[in-house]
Amino acid sequence: MEKKYHEFMKEITSDELFEGLLGHGMFNEKLPPFLTSESFFNYCIKGGKVPSGTPRDYVRFNGIRNNDVPRQYAIPTPFAYFDLCKLLSDNWDKICEHFETNTSNKEYKISRTHIRKRKKTKSIFKMNYENWKEDGMVETEILIGKRYMVSADISNCFPSIYTHSISWAIAGKEVAKANKNNKHLWYNKVDKFVRDMKNGETHGLLIGPHASNVLSEIILTSIDKNLSKWDYIRHIDDYNCFVPTYEDAQKFLLDLNRELAVFGLVLNHKKTEIVELPTGIKEPWVFRLKAPYLLIEKGQKTNKNEKKLRYPTIRSYIEMSINLMKENGMNSAILNYAIKVLSKCNFTKNAKNYFLKTVFHLSLIYPYLIPLIDEYIFCKLSVSKDDISKISNLIFERGMEERNYEAVSYSLYFALKYDFEIDALDADEMLKSEDCVAMLVSHHLFEKIGDNQSAKKLKDYAVKLSKKQYTMESNWLFVYEVLSASELEEPWKSVKTCGTSFFRI
């Protein structure tokens, strides 16, 4: 039986929320996987000194989306993020009550992507996470008797959220405004700590930290409550509503616009459409690429009676994927999906060789694919160190040319993990990038290969950045990791003295 929204929330204890957000939710999953806040979480629970209540800047990091457009992610300072996570944890019972009040009037769970207790991990959020056994297949129920589907999403949802609107959602707009100067109210403290993570700014949630997903749900479930007469589902800020008539579809959009406006949000009209049913809920390309067993059935039997995919099958499948991408607005998520499907299969020698070279070729053209190639290609297909080195050097060179420092960071991470050098790596060029994450991992690589002169150039720059608060905080990850405790000012010095690190490899 499908669980209710508030039942998912109540499965998480306040301690689990705190650990999930602070210890496993500070770094966005789009970041290269050499960053962790587990050490800082352990520092905190052991009574480490954490200053509170100070507005702080944050690290900016650009990631490439599936439409080849950059999106800015954020890494908050650990101190400001600690404040928010602790406050949410301390008031988790009130937040759960808020969620229950706003969602219990609906027979099914509207919000499909949210924090939840997950198996084999202490992280409580993952984008695009699905579990139909727990979530149910509500679309098949609410489709019955409907003729149209409204597809809509919020324009720049997280960057558009006004921090004061979190209090409006919790207490009601009139009550919140009447008590806006009461610093002791917990929801006003939430507002304050959210602003502190953005250097005091009142507009926008940071994209990346999992606490932002809790905060957005506080607002969006309040909107859901006032739209309960409509049959729709929501994936964070994406809506699919099912209605009997075209006129109802228009009325839903009017109602949705009205409720969003209460919180200062607007629809993205470029992505709003009314579609006549029947139509697939998922993109049609998903089903054409979904089932690897169909490919395996076409495979060639080996001496062990296993079926392996042959070169013609792999080539046809990849070419179909490329054509589907072109038919769907150059959506490189289609290639991402296809690569994940194929990575689960066995290959003949020629098929594997073709698959590897094609993936390497595509990842240079579509950088959106780069974050998946370690887990789904290097590891699963036992790619040789020499081949990993070749593609990583190409990724680095292309990334530097296009100022795509996400790609640069991944190539440097691969070099650290698999123990090879990046031929074109140059300290002066890395300094010109002014990219916190790329500079950090390049410094580690210079140290590993024994290039002390280059490592020193980066360290000298870190010392310079540390002298001013705003440059320190907007580059804190690089500065903190590169400098020793004696070279850092408080409060960073106390954290470093305890051996806390945010870098792992």
Side-chain angles (χ1 to χ4, degrees):
M1 181 177 179
E2 180 187 346
K3 287 191 288 190
K4 301 289 187 180
Y5 186 99
H6 66 87
E7 291 175 328
F8 280 96
M9 300 301 111
K10 288 181 177 178
E11 286 180 343
I12 304 170
T13 68
S14 59
D15 288 342
E16 288 169 337
L17 180 80
F18 183 56
E19 183 171 5
L21 295 180
L22 184 61
H24 303 271
M26 192 164 88
F27 297 107
N28 185 272
E29 60 194 62
K30 281 290 292 181
L31 288 159
F34 52 72
L35 300 173
T36 175
S37 54
E38 290 180 64
S39 180
F40 179 70
F41 169 77
N42 292 329
Y43 166 84
C44 294
I45 62 173
K46 290 176 182 177
K49 181 181 178 182
V50 182
S52 179
T54 302
R56 298 184 183 277
D57 209 342
Y58 57 94
V59 173
R60 284 85 171 163
F61 180 83
N62 286 326
I64 301 297
R65 292 188 283 182
N66 59 313
N67 58 0
D68 209 30
V69 175
R71 164 175 279 174
Q72 188 180 90
Y73 298 95
I75 305 173
T77 65
F79 311 122
Y81 192 58
F82 168 87
D83 278 346
L84 179 61
C85 294
K86 187 68 169 62
L87 183 65
L88 295 176
S89 173
D90 289 345
N91 293 279
W92 183 231
D93 57 337
K94 299 183 186 72
I95 297 171
C96 285
E97 183 179 344
H98 171 85
F99 285 145
E100 183 170 6
T101 298
N102 287 336
T103 62
S104 59
N105 62 340
K106 200 70 177 176
E107 293 181 359
Y108 63 89
K109 181 167 63 71
I110 291 174
S111 177
R112 315 306 286 179
T113 307
H114 50 77
I115 66 167
R116 65 175 76 206
K117 199 166 186 176
R118 296 167 57 209
K119 296 179 180 178
K120 299 180 181 179
T121 177
K122 293 181 180 179
S123 171
I124 56 175
F125 182 78
K126 183 179 181 181
M127 284 293 296
N128 304 319
Y129 181 86
E130 292 183 351
N131 186 331
W132 65 267
K133 291 181 180 179
E134 290 185 332
D135 294 333
M137 294 181 287
V138 68
E139 295 97 328
T140 57
E141 297 294 330
I142 61 178
L143 267 172
I144 298 173
K146 308 302 194 305
R147 187 64 183 272
Y148 293 91
M149 180 181 77
V150 185
S151 178
D153 74 1
I154 301 171
S155 179
N156 295 313
C157 182
F158 280 29
S160 298
I161 288 176
Y162 187 45
T163 63
H164 299 336
S165 67
I166 301 167
S167 299
W168 302 348
I170 294 170
K173 198 168 186 177
E174 290 185 7
V175 173
K177 285 194 169 188
N179 293 282
K180 64 181 180 180
N181 295 322
N182 187 339
K183 297 179 181 180
H184 301 292
L185 291 172
W186 75 273
Y187 52 79
N188 285 340
K189 291 180 181 179
V190 172
D191 180 0
K192 168 68 164 58
F193 288 158
V194 173
R195 283 183 278 125
D196 283 351
M197 287 205 308
K198 286 198 71 180
N199 212 16
E201 295 177 13
T202 57
H203 267 91
L205 300 180
L206 297 183
I207 299 176
H210 292 175
S212 293
N213 297 92
V214 178
L215 298 169
S216 68
E217 284 292 285
I218 287 174
I219 294 172
L220 296 177
T221 54
S222 297
I223 293 171
D224 292 337
K225 181 184 179 183
N226 294 330
L227 294 171
S228 60
K229 72 176 183 180
W230 298 104
D231 289 329
Y232 70 92
I233 58 173
R234 174 174 58 80
H235 292 271
I236 306 183
D237 60 344
D238 291 329
Y239 295 80
N240 283 329
C241 181
F242 305 92
V243 293
T245 68
Y246 192 87
E247 290 74 20
D248 285 332
Q250 293 176 312
K251 289 177 181 177
F252 169 73
L253 287 174
L254 289 172
D255 285 354
L256 178 57
N257 264 312
R258 183 188 66 246
E259 295 302 328
L260 291 174
V262 172
F263 296 95
L265 302 172
V266 297
L267 284 177
N268 184 343
H269 294 290
K270 292 182 179 179
K271 294 185 178 180
T272 299
E273 60 178 343
I274 300 172
V275 180
E276 188 171 7
L277 298 172
T279 186
I281 306 303
K282 289 184 177 290
E283 297 284 352
W285 59 262
V286 173
F287 298 99
R288 293 182 65 180
L289 298 176
K290 193 172 184 66
Y293 65 84
L294 294 176
L295 295 173
I296 294 171
E297 286 177 356
K298 298 179 182 179
Q300 172 182 313
K301 284 190 176 182
T302 66
N303 293 333
K304 296 181 180 180
N305 208 32
E306 295 175 335
K307 289 187 175 180
K308 292 190 175 184
L309 295 183
R310 296 174 296 173
Y311 163 74
T313 304
I314 292 290
R315 180 168 182 173
S316 296
Y317 185 84
I318 290 178
E319 289 183 355
M320 177 180 70
S321 304
I322 293 171
N323 289 332
L324 284 171
M325 179 189 68
K326 292 179 179 179
E327 292 168 9
N328 287 272
M330 300 305 291
N331 180 3
S332 54
I334 294 172
L335 297 180
N336 185 301
Y337 190 93
I339 291 168
K340 288 181 179 180
V341 169
L342 289 176
S343 71
K344 299 174 183 178
C345 302
N346 293 320
F347 305 90
T348 62
K349 183 177 179 180
N350 287 338
K352 178 181 176 180
N353 187 46
Y354 170 78
F355 179 48
L356 288 179
K357 289 182 178 180
T358 302
V359 170
F360 293 162
H361 163 69
L362 293 172
S363 64
L364 290 171
I365 299 174
Y366 306 107
Y368 177 75
L369 303 177
I370 293 171
L372 69 81
I373 62 175
D374 187 32
E375 179 181 356
Y376 291 94
I377 303 299
F378 297 163
C379 295
K380 287 199 173 184
L381 301 183
S382 302
V383 180
S384 70
K385 175 180 170 179
D386 186 52
D387 283 341
I388 296 174
S389 175
K390 288 177 182 177
I391 186 59
S392 297
N393 272 276
L394 289 172
I395 290 171
F396 178 85
E397 291 172 14
R398 182 68 61 85
M400 291 298 289
E401 288 173 7
E402 299 178 353
R403 298 182 182 179
N404 177 358
Y405 299 116
E406 178 189 34
V408 169
S409 298
Y410 268 97
S411 64
L412 297 170
Y413 162 65
F414 298 151
L416 275 172
K417 181 177 179 179
Y418 294 102
D419 194 23
F420 56 82
E421 295 187 21
I422 298 294
D423 298 331
L425 180 59
D426 179 82
D428 293 325
E429 292 301 314
M430 296 310 302
L431 290 172
K432 288 179 186 177
S433 77
E434 297 184 334
D435 185 89
C436 176
V437 175
M439 288 190 297
L440 167 62
V441 68
S442 66
H443 178 268
H444 278 273
L445 187 56
F446 282 132
E447 285 197 323
K448 184 171 183 177
I449 64 178
D451 187 346
N452 297 327
Q453 183 178 359
S454 294
K456 186 178 183 303
K457 285 184 179 181
L458 286 162
K459 184 173 181 178
D460 289 343
Y461 186 56
V463 171
K464 180 180 177 181
L465 293 173
S466 72
K467 299 302 181 184
K468 296 180 181 179
Q469 181 177 339
Y470 75 94
T471 55
M472 171 66 199
E473 290 173 350
S474 61
N475 294 277
W476 72 263
L477 188 62
F478 166 63
V479 177
Y480 175 86
E481 290 293 332
V482 168
L483 301 186
S484 65
S486 62
E487 295 167 307
L488 292 166
E489 302 291 335
E490 293 291 0
W492 304 97
K493 183 175 183 176
S494 294
V495 183
K496 187 85 173 190
T497 299
C498 292
T500 302
S501 178
F502 298 87
F503 189 90
R504 66 178 172 195
I505 196 69

